[in-house]
Amino acid sequence: MDKLTIGLVLPDVLGTYGDDGNALVLRQRARMRGLKAEILPIKLNEPVPDSLDIYTLGGGEDTAQILAAEHLIADGGLSRAAAAGHPVLAICAGLQVLGESFRASGRIVDGVGLIDATTAGMQERAIGEVASTPTGTGITAELTEPLTGFENHMGATILGPAAQPLGEITRGVGNADTNATADLRDGAMQRTAEGAVQGNVIATYMHGPALARNPQLADLLLAKAMGITLAELEPLDIPAVTQLRAERLRRS
């Protein structure tokens, strides 16, 4: 691969919480390895190319989520890309939009259906540091380092059998609270879940941006886009990133 193209999907409606930074992290870590890398912003009502190397989606409010879901369903490009094996990273509202359904503006809205998940509302906002141990499921099998971020949401996301958690919570709320899972047979497992993994889609409630705080996760996405293993990717030694990560993990 001589060039990497990162799709920044709907930054005009899913760019509320600085999650555009994930695309910047991917581009910079690729360039530091001598790879040509560019970001392609894809705005609302623009077609989503289905042949980019990586796709990132960020967070947004209710109206923005509805607009994003309607566009991505009608366009179909992101779904075709995921089906073709291109890695997708979805953050917070992006996670909800890629699920089967989510609640927004007082109603249930159809999602894109790339993740077997439904999202309802929580009684209290989950806000603060969130940390988890990676489950190592599916595409994330090579992840070994703790995951850390900042959550700010009121979505209670319940995973269906086709999706697995990205991480097992060690701090924070993650996908769901006690009230959301009280009647579920696997409610205890759901209450420890953070994020989701299904096929080539990795989704999480971690802001931060997530990839700035979790460089191993960023490198995993790069490796998958390049068709190599994480172990084959040239390591990077960036003291500032190591220091930031150590500080955040101490707080977790």
Side-chain angles (χ1 to χ4, degrees):
M1 173 178 290
D2 57 359
K3 183 178 179 181
L4 188 76
T5 305
I6 303 153
L8 179 57
V9 182
L10 307 184
D12 46 345
V13 291
L14 295 179
T16 304
Y17 300 105
D19 299 308
D20 295 6
N22 289 314
L24 295 172
V25 171
L26 289 169
R27 184 180 68 181
Q28 183 62 19
R29 294 184 73 85
R31 287 180 173 180
M32 292 179 74
R33 293 180 167 98
L35 187 68
K36 293 180 181 179
E38 298 295 341
I39 297 171
L40 177 65
I42 306 157
K43 296 184 178 181
L44 191 66
N45 297 324
E46 294 180 349
V48 180
D50 57 15
S51 58
L52 305 184
D53 299 297
I54 308 175
Y55 297 79
T56 68
L57 298 85
E61 306 302 331
D62 281 13
T63 301
Q65 285 181 261
I66 296 171
L67 291 172
E70 290 175 347
H71 174 61
L72 293 175
I73 291 170
D75 175 74
L78 186 65
S79 296
R80 291 192 299 272
H86 300 287
V88 178
L89 175 70
I91 308 295
C92 199
L95 183 163
Q96 298 176 15
V97 165
L98 296 192
E100 297 292 339
S101 67
F102 59 94
R103 180 171 289 278
S105 298
R107 63 186 179 94
I108 296 175
V109 181
D110 288 338
V112 179
L114 293 181
I115 305 171
D116 185 9
T118 57
T119 300
M122 292 195 297
Q123 293 182 350
E124 297 182 4
R125 178 172 291 275
I127 183 167
E129 289 291 312
V130 59
S132 67
T133 301
T135 61
T137 188
I139 191 177
T140 67
E142 295 177 272
L143 289 182
T144 58
E145 298 179 359
L147 298 163
T148 171
F150 189 89
E151 61 182 344
N152 182 6
H153 65 96
M154 291 191 69
T157 297
I158 306 300
L159 302 182
Q164 296 298 318
L166 169 63
E168 183 176 346
I169 282 288
T170 56
R171 178 179 179 180
V173 175
N175 290 1
D177 62 8
T178 303
N179 293 327
T181 57
D183 296 330
L184 295 178
R185 185 174 60 183
D186 59 348
M189 181 191 74
Q190 295 279 359
R191 286 194 294 275
T192 67
E194 201 295 306
V197 178
Q198 185 169 338
N200 297 289
V201 178
I202 299 174
T204 176
Y205 277 109
M206 295 186 296
H207 298 291
L211 298 186
R213 295 180 57 160
N214 300 281
Q216 188 186 53
L217 179 58
D219 285 349
L220 176 71
L221 289 164
L222 290 174
K224 295 302 179 184
M226 297 167 65
I228 62 176
T229 66
L230 183 58
E232 293 175 294
L233 194 66
E234 177 189 353
L236 294 178
D237 182 15
I238 309 175
V241 173
T242 302
Q243 182 179 353
L244 169 65
R245 181 167 169 78
E247 176 186 340
R248 296 305 184 188
L249 286 172
R250 279 198 300 271
R251 296 184 180 184
S252 299

